[in-house]
Amino acid sequence: MNGIALRLSLTIALAAAPTALLAQARAAADAPGKTPAGITYVQPKDWTLTSNGAVTLFASPETDLNIAVVDVGGAPAAQAAAAKAWSLYKADATRTVRLATPGTAADGWDERVSFAYDTSPGERRVVAALAMRKGAAWTVLIVDGADATMNKRAAAAEIIEHSLRPAGYAPETFAGKTAHRLTPERIQALRDFIAESARELEVPGVGIALIDQGQVVWQGGYGVRELGHPEPIDAHTKFMIASNTKGMTTLLLSVLADEGKLRWDETVTDVYPSFRLGDDNTTKAVENRHLVCACTGLPRRDFAFILADGKAPASDTFRQLSETKPTSSFGELFQYSNLMAAAAGYVGGSLAYPKLEIGAAYDKAMQTRIFDPLGMHDTTFDTAVAESGDWARPHGFDVDGRMTEMSNHFNHLIAPYRPAGGAWSSAADVARYADLELSKGVLPDGKRMVSEANLLERRKRGVPTGEDAWYGMGLFTEIVSGVPVVTHGGTLQGFHSDWWILPDSGIGAVLLTNSDSGPAMFGPFLRRLLEIAYDGKPEAAQEVATAAAQLKAREGARRARLTVPGDPAALAGLAAEYRDRELGNVITVHNRDGGKWVSAGAIEGPLATRKNADGTLSLVSIGPGAIQLDAVIGNQNGMRTLTVRDSQHEYVYTAVR
C-alpha cells in the first residue's frame, strides 16, 4: 500500500473543518460519487461526506481524521495549487512543507506531486497533501487527522485516494483478454526490467523466479549477495522472506484442516484453551480462520518486541496477546497483527505435535507438512543454517544516503514470533510454493498436497485493504487493471520480498531483494508483468524512475533535519540506561568508535539528534536501515526520559543510571 505515503495524520476534529458544510451523508457501504468539478471518488463505508463548494470532505467515524478533496482549478504549479487548497479547506493552516516529491503521471493525471509538512512527535500528527493536475486544472487531496485513527483507517484512506480520477477518464483494463505465454523473449524483457530497476534503485541483489502454466520457466538472480564481493545471487540464494511466512503458515492450517485436526469455524479456545486476548468478548469471537485475517480489531504492536531483548520463548506471543486490547470492532477494519499470525502457527504446531514445546512443534509441522512435500530444501527457520553458504546480506541507506551492508542483528528479533515472518528461503523454493497456489494444491508430479477447498479458503475476501483489494488469511487478493492477483509481501531490515500469481492465466513471479530500496520495484514489476502479458501501456519504467528520485529526496530530507553526530549538550546529558516500566525493556547509551551509540532491543547504532518543530529534541539512531530508534528527550517528575511512539502506543523510558 503506497500511494502518497498514506501514513498521514493530524488531529483536527470535524468542528475545526471549514464552515457552512452542506449535504452531510454517512455511507452505509462504499459509495461512488463526483466532486463539483467531476472528479470521481469512492466514499468509504461509515465515513461522513460533506460538501462546501470546492471542498469535498470525508470524515472518519471517530471524527478526528479528515480527508479533503479540493477542486482548485488553475494554478501556476503544484505548490501553489496545494497552498490554494489549504486556504479553501482551512484558511488559518500554517504548516511548513518539509518535502515535495513528484509522482508518476497515472490514472488519467498529467502530473502528481506529494507534500509532507512539518509536525512534532508529541502532536501524534502528520499533515500531507497530493496535488494532481489534468490539463490546466488542479485537484488537491489533503489528509488531516489523528495518527492513531489514520493507522486504523489507512485502507479507507487508500480507497479515497486511489479512486480519484479526472472527469471522463476510463482506466485501462485487461479484463477478458487472454494473456501471452512467457516466451523466451518476454522472459528476457522481464529480466532486463528487473536488472535496470535494481540498478536505478541501488538494490545489490535480486532472487527471481517466473512461472507459466505450472512450469518454472526461469529462475536465477541479478547482482550480488554482498556489496564489495563478487559472489552472485542465484536461484538458491537464501533471503529472509519475512511476512511471506504468513501464507505458508496458513497453508499449514489448510493441511491440518484436511487431516481433521481443526475446523475453520471453531473458536481458537476450542483447540487451544489457554488462548486469551486483552478483551474477553473478542477472545470468544476469534475462530481459527480469524488468526491471520487482520480483522479482529487488534492493533499492530511491533515495537513491543522490536524494543525487547529478542530472547523470549515462543509462548511470549500468547502473553503479549493477552495484554493487547482491540482498537476497532471485530471484522470492521484491516489491522495487521504479527502477534496473531504467530499465534496461528503455534496453534497449528500444537495440534500437529501436542507433546512438543510450541516453537519446536511449529518448526516440525512446517518441515513435515509444507517444506518437505514441496521440496523446499533451501527453506529454514534455523538462523545458523540460513547465515551460511549461499545467503544474501541485508543492505540499507546510511545517514548520508549511501547504500551499505548492515548487520543482521535486528532481524533476529523475529525468532520468537517466526510463524509471522521468520522463514529464510530462496527464489527457487518460493516458486514451488507459488506454483502450488496456482495449481490449487497439486504438486508438479500430480499428487495432491492439500485440498482445493481448504487452500482457497485462505483467499476468501475479508476486510478491504484498498480499492479492489482485500485480505484473506495471510494472502492479499486484488483486482489490478481488471486482472485478479493473489500476492503477499515480506519486510524486515534490509530484506524485502514479494510474489504474485495471476490465477486466470497461470502466470506467477517471485522477487527476493537484499535492500531496503527493494520494495520500490515491486509495484512497477507487477505493472511490467501485466504490460508484457497483456500488451499494456508502457508505464512501469517511469514508475521506477520516479521511485528512485523519491527515495533520494526522502533520504536527503531526513539527513537535512539531523544534527550528526548530535547536539553535544544533549548527548552529554543522557543517562547510561533507561528502562520502560510497562515492558521492562532497556535502552542503553554508550561510547563506541569515538561517539555515542544506542542499544534498544533489536536496534543498535550511532546517535544523532533532531530539533522538532515544537522545540523538543529527539534522539535518533543513524545506522543503516529503514527501522531506527526515534525518541523524544524529556523530563518527567525530575527524571530524565526517552519517549518512543508508534501510531497507537507510547513507551516512556526513565533513566535508571
Side-chain angles (χ1 to χ4, degrees), residues 561-583:
R561 300 175 71 203
L562 295 174
T563 299
V564 179
D567 178 88
L571 295 183
L574 293 173
E577 182 177 312
Y578 296 79
R579 185 176 298 275
D580 171 29
R581 293 179 181 175
E582 177 187 354
L583 301 177

Side-chain angles (χ1 to χ4, degrees), residues 491-506:
T491 290
L492 277 170
Q493 192 91 301
F495 287 112
H496 303 267
S497 56
D498 216 326
W499 61 269
W500 306 261
I501 60 168
L502 315 182
D504 291 354
S505 65

